[in-house]
Amino acid sequence: MGKQVAYLVFVYSKIKDKVDISGKSDHWFGALYSIANASIESLIRLDEIDLQKNSLLKIISSKTDAQNYDELERYIKKLSKIGNYYTIDWIDILKKILEVIQEKKGIEEKNKYENVKQVTAIIDTINKTVEWLEVFSSVSIKWPKLSKTVLSTLINERNINEKISELMQKYESGEYKEINSLFREVCSKVLEGIKETLNNVGIKFDKFDWESDLVRNKLVDKILNELEQRGWIIEDKDGAKILNIKKALKIKDIRDIFGLDKVDEESAPPNLVLIRSDGTTLYTTRDIAYALYKGESDKVEKVLNIIGKDQTLPQKQLKAALYLAGYKNVADKLFHVAYELVILPGAKLSARRGRYITFDEILEDAKEKALEEIRKRSTDISLEEFDLARDIAVGAVKYALISVAPERTITFDWNRIINFEQNSGPFLQYTYARATSILRKINFEIPEADIINYEVLNTNVEKELIFNLARFPEIVLEAGEKFRPDIIADYANKISILFNSFYQRFPVLRADTREKRDARLIMVDAFRTVLRNSLDLLGIKPLEKM
RNA sequence: GGGCCCGUAGCUCAGUCUGGAUAGAGCGACGGCCUUCGGAGCCGUAGGUCGCGGGUUCGAAUCCCGCCGGGCCCGCCA
């Protein structure tokens, strides 16, 4: 539905008869997506350069430096062969052209030559082309065979942009059966793989919706009409429909949405394009309709859009659009739950550039580490222990990702993710197993709570543990209000540290009096309950043995 | 240029909204603890101008202003 999906579908439709989907479907399509994106972005720009080629020559040919000119002409002639073959030399050729015209630009600026702007544009295009070609080259090292197939198929395509636009129009209309099934085939297959992975780590979904249905069932139209009638839409010369946010800033509530107390030209947020000039919708447009769809019912108290921090502006625009379309009630219960992205040391993760680590890979590594740890403790590994390793691995990965405040950028670090010591998922699971182990020895026959003399729980560590256990409800409330699961992770870690400290120092079953033994048993049981509930909230499996 | 976020120990992070006493964890380093319920543990040591500079206050990591460093956004991509 989105343009990015259309890229994938476009390429898939071209090569589907030449290839087989191998391995996990989401991984395969993930690779194809990176390849498709890098090749399309490159080819589109190479086309542009091809078009600009003559004016390029003209600008440069305005004498002064004959040597530069000859050199440039040579490279451009090479470039004109684009379309017939692919070679990594493109990058070098373009870089050299770039060097020559940049040098040229220097001369021109000195002479106040008039075409500086045009040259700047060309330099920009070439820069981006080089960038994407470099991406493509790294992608094709990662997936050589598939990359070759894609490139050899796409290289003779012309007007890719137009074709993709057409593809989207047809899909959104819902009137083209083949195109419809193609899009949905791709999406379903990707989703299939994602669901499989998430299902393995205990994450399930109640419902999925097709974005395209929001267009076809006229919900997008409905909002658009409301906005149009209220005079919030402007149409530009190409026919794109734009939400007039600048005008809407006169309304105080809208300024509040953007966190502005006054409006000035400089700091005003930009208008939002809702409909492309080809008539198709954009992601944010569909998301406006989707927010309405989710939040229209009075039974719904809050609509949480959990999406990256980089979406802050579009999410504010979305909220403003709902308000302006007359759905203040829905706008008010809409929250953007923002989280920062995970980055690699040095480079940003980017699916579009083929720079990513799959969740499956991370789990696999964590699982190996877990098996290693299990082997340290018992010699032969049973099938059951493989399950155990998975539960531990999942606990480690989930905790690592969830225990950092959402607004903080997470720098990807294997050591932190595959940490099984304190302040980790496995540490919590281990502590839970220890507590369980005590109770198992008495067949979980916990003494009656109301006959206990709690006065005997009078050591500092016991008092602190009890005090913290009592805080559980307020911790949950706080985490919920702030949309901060890390608060629960931190809490679970804290009570576990306290429990371990207690465990090390004081015997439970062999306490010196019956009174103490019973009181401590009650405390262990309470701790176990609170930790189990915390782990459940975090989606980490409490383990009774490990 | 405009907007948002981050800056706390060598590293990864809590604590900032709602100001309060010697600023807390984990990792890493160093030193201890298995005749007792599971050592994936526990106890201890070293390590911090809370980015910098002003201001408000009896009191500032926390509130206000100004800088500096890093990230993100400002697309008819998502």
Side-chain angles (χ1 to χ4, degrees), chain A residues 315-333:
Chain A
Q315 286 292 315
K316 283 177 178 170
Q317 290 169 322
L318 184 165
K319 195 169 185 161
L322 275 177
Y323 182 97
L324 295 170
Y327 300 103
K328 181 178 188 301
N329 58 329
V330 181
D332 284 343
K333 57 187 173 187

Side-chain angles (χ1 to χ4, degrees), chain A residues 128-363:
Chain A
K128 284 195 175 130
T129 312
V130 170
E131 203 182 294
W132 279 111
L133 280 170
E134 274 166 348
V135 171
F136 184 83
S137 105
S138 70
V139 162
S140 57
I141 288 166
K142 214 164 163 185
W143 303 286
K145 217 177 137 195
L146 197 54
S147 298
K148 203 178 166 191
T149 309
V150 170
L151 190 75
S152 61
T153 309
L154 288 189
I155 197 103
N156 295 315
E157 290 287 338
R158 283 289 162 272
N159 305 321
I160 294 177
N161 251 341
E162 287 74 8
K163 286 177 181 165
I164 283 172
S165 165
E166 192 189 332
L167 203 56
M168 279 194 292
Q169 286 177 49
K170 288 186 171 170
Y171 179 59
E172 286 200 355
S173 80
E175 286 161 18
Y176 299 81
K177 268 212 169 99
E178 263 179 47
I179 288 174
N180 191 57
S181 56
L182 202 56
F183 267 83
R184 299 216 162 173
E185 180 196 340
V186 169
C187 291
S188 302
K189 281 183 176 160
V190 171
L191 204 53
E192 195 182 292
I194 294 174
K195 277 183 189 166
E196 185 190 322
T197 297
L198 294 181
N199 196 47
N200 281 339
V201 302
I203 297 171
K204 294 188 174 66
F205 295 86
D206 295 326
K207 192 166 181 283
F208 287 91
D209 297 294
W210 292 100
E211 277 184 26
S212 50
D213 284 344
L214 297 165
V215 182
R216 298 181 193 164
N217 69 16
K218 308 293 178 201
L219 199 54
V220 168
D221 287 348
K222 187 178 159 190
I223 289 177
L224 221 59
N225 287 337
E226 306 271 18
L227 288 169
E228 223 149 17
Q229 271 169 31
R230 287 170 165 80
W232 297 117
I233 300 287
I234 41 182
E235 203 164 311
D236 83 348
K237 57 180 181 354
D238 301 319
K241 293 184 178 179
I242 300 166
L243 180 66
N244 195 346
I245 287 182
K246 306 247 187 223
K247 180 179 159 195
L249 286 170
K250 284 180 199 145
I251 302 171
K252 184 176 182 299
D253 285 352
I254 298 295
R255 290 201 300 276
D256 286 347
I257 288 171
F258 289 99
L260 302 166
D261 24 84
K262 58 181 168 68
V263 217
D264 53 274
E265 199 48 44
E266 274 190 340
S267 60
N271 289 339
L272 175 70
V273 175
L274 294 171
I275 304 290
R276 293 190 183 95
S277 46
D278 68 5
T280 56
T281 59
L282 285 107
Y283 169 72
T284 308
T285 316
R286 300 187 296 272
D287 213 17
I288 296 166
Y290 197 36
L292 180 60
Y293 168 81
K294 289 183 286 189
E296 219 174 5
S297 161
D298 287 337
K299 283 186 229 161
V300 176
E301 287 173 39
K302 284 179 184 177
V303 176
L304 308 184
N305 277 358
I306 302 173
I307 188 165
K309 187 66 157 269
D310 52 356
Q311 297 298 308
T312 303
L313 178 60
Q315 286 292 315
K316 283 177 178 170
Q317 290 169 322
L318 184 165
K319 195 169 185 161
L322 275 177
Y323 182 97
L324 295 170
Y327 300 103
K328 181 178 188 301
N329 58 329
V330 181
D332 284 343
K333 57 187 173 187
L334 179 68
F335 298 89
H336 174 204
V337 181
Y339 56 88
E340 260 297 358
L341 307 179
V342 177
I343 60 167
L344 291 173
K348 197 183 151 188
L349 291 167
S350 166
R352 297 180 63 178
R353 291 173 174 76
R355 263 205 312 270
Y356 56 80
I357 301 169
T358 63
F359 194 50
D360 291 312
E361 289 171 66
I362 294 171
L363 280 177

Side-chain angles (χ1 to χ4, degrees), chain A residues 270-528:
Chain A
N271 289 339
L272 175 70
V273 175
L274 294 171
I275 304 290
R276 293 190 183 95
S277 46
D278 68 5
T280 56
T281 59
L282 285 107
Y283 169 72
T284 308
T285 316
R286 300 187 296 272
D287 213 17
I288 296 166
Y290 197 36
L292 180 60
Y293 168 81
K294 289 183 286 189
E296 219 174 5
S297 161
D298 287 337
K299 283 186 229 161
V300 176
E301 287 173 39
K302 284 179 184 177
V303 176
L304 308 184
N305 277 358
I306 302 173
I307 188 165
K309 187 66 157 269
D310 52 356
Q311 297 298 308
T312 303
L313 178 60
Q315 286 292 315
K316 283 177 178 170
Q317 290 169 322
L318 184 165
K319 195 169 185 161
L322 275 177
Y323 182 97
L324 295 170
Y327 300 103
K328 181 178 188 301
N329 58 329
V330 181
D332 284 343
K333 57 187 173 187
L334 179 68
F335 298 89
H336 174 204
V337 181
Y339 56 88
E340 260 297 358
L341 307 179
V342 177
I343 60 167
L344 291 173
K348 197 183 151 188
L349 291 167
S350 166
R352 297 180 63 178
R353 291 173 174 76
R355 263 205 312 270
Y356 56 80
I357 301 169
T358 63
F359 194 50
D360 291 312
E361 289 171 66
I362 294 171
L363 280 177
E364 211 41 56
D365 278 38
K367 206 167 153 181
E368 258 172 48
K369 169 82 184 290
L371 268 178
E372 204 179 287
E373 294 292 320
I374 293 169
R375 284 196 182 106
K376 278 187 200 161
R377 293 165 181 82
S378 64
T379 43
D380 47 2
I381 308 294
S382 67
L383 209 61
E384 221 171 81
E385 279 160 335
F386 276 100
D387 285 344
L388 184 63
R390 191 200 57 213
D391 291 338
I392 293 169
V394 170
V397 175
K398 278 190 178 175
Y399 187 91
L401 292 174
I402 230 171
S403 61
V404 175
E407 73 268 17
R408 195 177 284 271
T409 311
I410 298 176
T411 305
F412 189 87
D413 174 10
W414 281 111
N415 290 335
R416 206 175 68 80
I417 288 182
I418 315 202
N419 168 30
F420 287 9
E421 296 173 36
Q422 255 190 50
N423 199 8
S424 79
F427 170 68
L428 303 183
Q429 289 168 318
Y430 174 73
T431 308
Y432 185 79
R434 274 181 139 184
T436 304
S437 180
I438 295 175
L439 300 185
R440 186 166 38 235
K441 288 200 162 51
I442 54 158
N443 294 314
F444 298 96
E445 285 159 17
I446 318 292
E448 288 296 320
D450 48 6
I451 60 159
I452 299 298
N453 175 16
Y454 294 101
E455 308 255 326
V456 299
L457 298 173
N458 57 7
T459 63
N460 283 341
V461 62
E462 284 168 319
K463 284 193 279 192
E464 209 181 331
L465 179 58
I466 291 165
F467 172 73
N468 277 286
L469 292 179
R471 289 179 60 218
F472 183 57
E474 65 182 83
I475 293 289
V476 174
L477 207 61
E478 188 191 357
E481 277 168 356
K482 293 179 178 171
F483 310 131
R484 296 250 328 252
D486 62 295
I487 290 175
I488 291 174
D490 190 58
Y491 171 78
N493 188 51
K494 182 171 188 175
I495 59 171
S496 295
I497 287 173
L498 285 168
F499 179 81
N500 277 308
S501 180
F502 159 77
Y503 180 97
Q504 196 76 21
R505 292 178 60 188
F506 303 106
V508 177
L509 298 175
R510 295 177 207 193
D512 47 19
T513 65
R514 175 82 193 198
E515 229 181 6
K516 273 189 194 170
R517 174 184 181 269
D518 287 351
R520 284 174 183 167
L521 276 170
I522 289 278
M523 189 178 70
V524 170
D525 188 43
F527 165 74
R528 195 169 162 263

Side-chain angles (χ1 to χ4, degrees), chain A residues 85-108:
Chain A
Y85 64 97
Y86 170 75
T87 155
I88 202 71
D89 287 342
W90 282 357
I91 297 177
D92 292 330
I93 294 167
L94 288 172
K95 275 186 175 166
K96 278 168 187 160
I97 292 177
L98 197 59
E99 276 167 29
V100 177
I101 58 179
Q102 263 169 344
E103 206 173 304
K104 193 74 194 168
K105 190 185 149 209
I107 298 163
E108 280 158 1

